[in-house]
Amino acid sequence: CTDDKLAHGILVLSDANAAFKLKEDPHRQQFLWIDDLDGNEMNTLLDKFDVLSTDAAASTELRRRLRDEVGANAQGLFKTAAKAKSAAAAAVKALPADATEAERATAASASQRRVFETFIEVKQRKAYNEVNNLLTQAESKDKFRRLFLALLNKPSGVGEEDVDFAPSRASEEFKTKGFRAVTFSSETDLYQFYSKAHQHAAGLWFEREA
């Protein structure tokens, strides 16, 4: 990137809240908001890696959980699919030379599922901690509780006017590491959960803690 007035610069940010750490310069800044993969795109990626075959009910359920309870972030999904494929190859290699095709398929499928189960568990635990931090430790925790309840009722997004909570104020807290459970889209001008994992975690939090 560059700050030279005679040159164009490109700054790539992978974190949805990273933009809030930049100084405002609307005349020279333009943000491109990238959503997670949708269900069809997620399935296409998993099929391309040949992981979580839909022939197995357990694998189909893991695909559903990825879509509904974690979110199909392209980068995270790509890395996990590659890891699952490598784990499957290692599991098959570890079998006796006379293992049947069915045994090889079972070992590969089971190892892939373990990788994705761990991925889901880690993501959900991290998301729950971030939701809990924002709702119990943030200075504006009462406003965040109101915001989260509104988002649970309308996951597609909630406007600033609906919750009386200015993004400039909210971002001071939700951009902090350990508190990234919500964000504000510069494309739609709406608050939304940071990920499907955070939406799922918020629902659990209000069931358990509220």
Side-chain angles (χ1 to χ4, degrees):
C1 63
T2 178
D3 197 42
D4 191 326
K5 294 181 180 180
L6 301 179
H8 292 293
I10 298 175
L11 179 62
V12 179
L13 305 172
S14 61
D15 182 86
N17 288 340
F20 293 101
K21 298 180 180 179
L22 298 176
K23 292 183 178 180
E24 287 192 24
D25 191 359
H27 299 296
R28 294 193 298 164
Q29 292 174 346
Q30 182 174 357
F31 296 108
L32 179 62
W33 187 269
I34 307 295
D35 286 319
D36 286 349
L37 303 179
D38 62 27
N40 290 331
E41 291 168 335
M42 181 196 76
N43 286 330
T44 298
L45 188 151
L46 295 175
D47 290 342
K48 185 174 182 179
F49 275 91
D50 193 25
V51 294
L52 294 187
S53 169
T54 53
D55 292 338
S59 294
T60 300
E61 172 61 10
L62 280 175
R63 287 193 180 210
R64 183 202 66 76
R65 292 185 63 197
L66 283 169
R67 184 191 67 231
D68 297 342
E69 299 178 11
V70 174
N73 174 274
Q75 183 181 33
L77 200 59
F78 187 94
K79 289 182 177 179
T80 306
K83 184 177 180 179
K85 192 170 182 67
S86 296
V92 171
K93 186 176 181 180
L95 291 174
D98 59 351
T100 66
E101 285 301 314
E103 290 171 334
R104 291 171 183 270
T106 297
S109 181
S111 64
Q112 289 176 5
R113 287 198 297 271
R114 283 194 293 272
V115 169
F116 279 99
E117 286 166 354
T118 299
F119 174 73
I120 291 172
E121 179 185 347
V122 169
K123 285 291 186 181
Q124 289 187 335
R125 182 170 59 247
K126 182 174 184 289
Y128 192 90
N129 288 338
E130 290 172 332
V131 166
N132 184 66
N133 289 345
L134 204 53
L135 297 182
T136 62
Q137 299 178 29
E139 183 179 340
S140 305
K141 61 185 179 183
D142 291 338
K143 289 189 174 183
F144 278 113
R145 289 190 185 195
R146 184 165 65 247
L147 171 59
F148 275 41
L149 286 171
L151 282 172
L152 286 171
N153 286 325
K154 191 180 178 183
S156 59
V158 173
E160 171 188 353
E161 66 282 358
D162 297 322
V163 289
D164 190 26
F165 198 9
S168 58
R169 176 67 187 88
S171 65
E172 288 299 315
E173 299 187 78
F174 71 59
K175 72 181 181 183
T176 305
K177 184 177 181 180
F179 290 78
R180 297 171 186 167
V182 69
T183 190
F184 188 83
S185 171
S186 58
E187 187 168 295
T188 62
D189 286 335
L190 296 174
Y191 283 106
Q192 62 186 59
F193 283 112
Y194 190 80
S195 72
K196 279 283 189 177
H198 292 89
Q199 178 184 336
H200 181 71
L204 290 177
W205 190 92
F206 280 101
E207 288 179 8
R208 298 172 181 176
E209 310 288 348

